[in-house]
Amino acid sequence: MKPTISFLPFKNLESERLLLRQLSIDDAQEVFELRSNPETMKYIPRPLLTNLDEALAHIKKINDAIDANEGINWAITLKGSNKLLGIAGHYRIQWEHFRSE
């Protein structure tokens, strides 16, 4: 089954306090801090990042998935601050089964 939605153009999401936006290379330090922290990654079965290049590769992987309509993630920030607090989204999308993780 072909998808009936497209992730492009990328849409920001907003609440009263939060802005969810696309990740950028400017988020590399925060991505590294999150994904190199054993406590943060405790329930995420992925290797810990060891350097900023791996963080940049992770950001590229997320954005490439958006471009290919294979997944979508948002950088979670407080409105008025560009500092990444977390990442949320969908990956491993199986359009034919109407599911994602």
Side-chain angles (χ1 to χ4, degrees):
M1 171 180 274
K2 292 184 179 185
T4 57
I5 63 171
S6 174
F7 299 134
L8 297 174
F10 188 91
K11 302 268 192 290
N12 290 342
L13 303 176
E14 293 186 45
S15 73
E16 187 175 307
R17 294 180 6 186
L18 301 176
L19 171 65
L20 281 65
R21 58 163 175 79
Q22 190 164 9
L23 279 96
S24 77
I25 59 172
D26 295 334
D27 298 313
Q29 183 61 44
E30 287 86 2
V31 169
F32 174 72
E33 289 170 11
L34 288 170
R35 295 191 66 97
S36 65
N37 182 317
E39 186 62 25
T40 302
M41 296 296 290
K42 187 178 189 175
Y43 301 107
I44 301 173
R46 300 278 182 269
L48 296 177
L49 298 186
T50 60
N51 59 58
L52 281 178
D53 286 338
E54 291 175 346
L56 288 166
H58 184 67
I59 293 167
K60 182 179 182 335
K61 181 179 176 181
I62 286 171
N63 287 329
D64 286 351
I66 293 167
D67 292 342
N69 211 49
E70 295 173 349
I72 187 166
N73 281 273
W74 290 267
I76 303 168
T77 66
L78 291 173
K79 281 187 175 176
S81 170
N82 209 29
K83 181 178 168 56
L84 178 131
L85 303 175
I87 301 169
H90 299 274
Y91 72 105
R92 292 189 187 164
I93 295 175
Q94 295 179 351
W95 296 105
E96 66 278 12
H97 300 296
F98 303 100
R99 73 179 288 273
S100 73
E101 292 183 34

